Amino acid sequence: MAEGAAIYVALIEWFTETLEIMLQDIFSRTELSTIHGPSNIPLSEAFALLWHNKETGDVKGRKSADELSVAMFATTIVDLMVSERLSVETVREKHWIFSSDDSYLQVINPAPTDAAGLDMVLQGIAAYTAKQKKRTLRGWLRDLAYGGNKELRPKEVTNAVLDTLVAKGVLGKEEHKRGISIFSTITYPTMDPAPRQAVVDVLRNIVLGDVTPEADPFAHILLLIVKFSGDAASMGSNFILERVFTKEERNADEFKQKMKTLCPSPSELKKQRKAADKEAAVSADK
């Protein structure tokens, strides 16, 4: 039992650390004003549409604090930065015998965005920072991975993003009772397939076509988050990518090489981060 708990904690720490490094890399190299989805679909809604099963209306795992739920929270952070509601302040701090770049989330504009999921995250971060000291990006990711706090819970964030898509007429919302049971399930039938297809198209264009990450940073960021969180959630068999690309496409050597180039492995990301930290430390000492 204790061994299982230790493994779970180690996986959470690995996942949140790598996701934080990925986001820091995105923020450092990408001009936020260039991150626009097809028809201005926000990153969080695009991720939700890919997670959503268009055939059954189900969103597998949305009620738990798993990797996909934490990734959903990460996409809302990017959206709130693009809409100039949040900023990230990166500070080099010393921790005993080592130093690191810690990223802190700051609310710079509390005005509503008119998107339920984004507003929930914005209000949750604002409420927490109003009564507590500032918190690192990784601290938020870790907290959501363990089930959240009274200001924010992963299931509620995911449901709010889905409700935004319902309000836009992209998805429906149906409650299903199980016989005489008091419990029910909710599905989200597809009402307008065009937005999801537009999201699928941008991912296919950047992997199978000639579109570069510089030309479409939205597609690249979405691909990074889908690849990493989908792999982690299903231990290698990424059901989201399986819905976007055929088996033949995924098995092709060219596809595998392109994915390796576009989506560095967690170990490669950490190696790049250590190199950047070392370079920054040397520059600071000069």
Side-chain angles (χ1 to χ4, degrees), residues 189-206:
T190 300
M191 307 302 290
D192 180 2
R196 181 188 183 279
Q197 187 57 52
V199 171
V200 168
D201 288 344
V202 298
L203 287 188
R204 291 182 61 83
N205 289 339
I206 197 170

Side-chain angles (χ1 to χ4, degrees), residues 3-68:
E3 182 180 352
I7 292 174
Y8 175 76
V9 170
L11 287 172
I12 290 294
E13 293 300 313
W14 169 82
F15 179 78
T16 54
E17 179 190 7
T18 308
L19 187 55
E20 179 199 35
I21 292 171
M22 182 184 298
L23 291 173
Q24 287 177 326
D25 181 59
I26 290 169
F27 299 148
S28 66
R29 63 176 169 76
T30 308
E31 177 59 49
L32 294 176
S33 62
T34 66
I35 303 175
H36 295 295
S39 302
N40 289 321
I41 298 173
L43 192 68
S44 54
E45 292 175 27
F47 185 77
L49 288 172
L50 293 175
W51 185 0
H52 167 261
N53 187 322
K54 67 175 183 177
E55 305 297 337
T56 66
D58 188 29
V59 183
K60 180 182 177 182
R62 68 179 176 84
K63 294 183 179 181
S64 62
D66 68 1
E67 293 86 351
L68 294 175

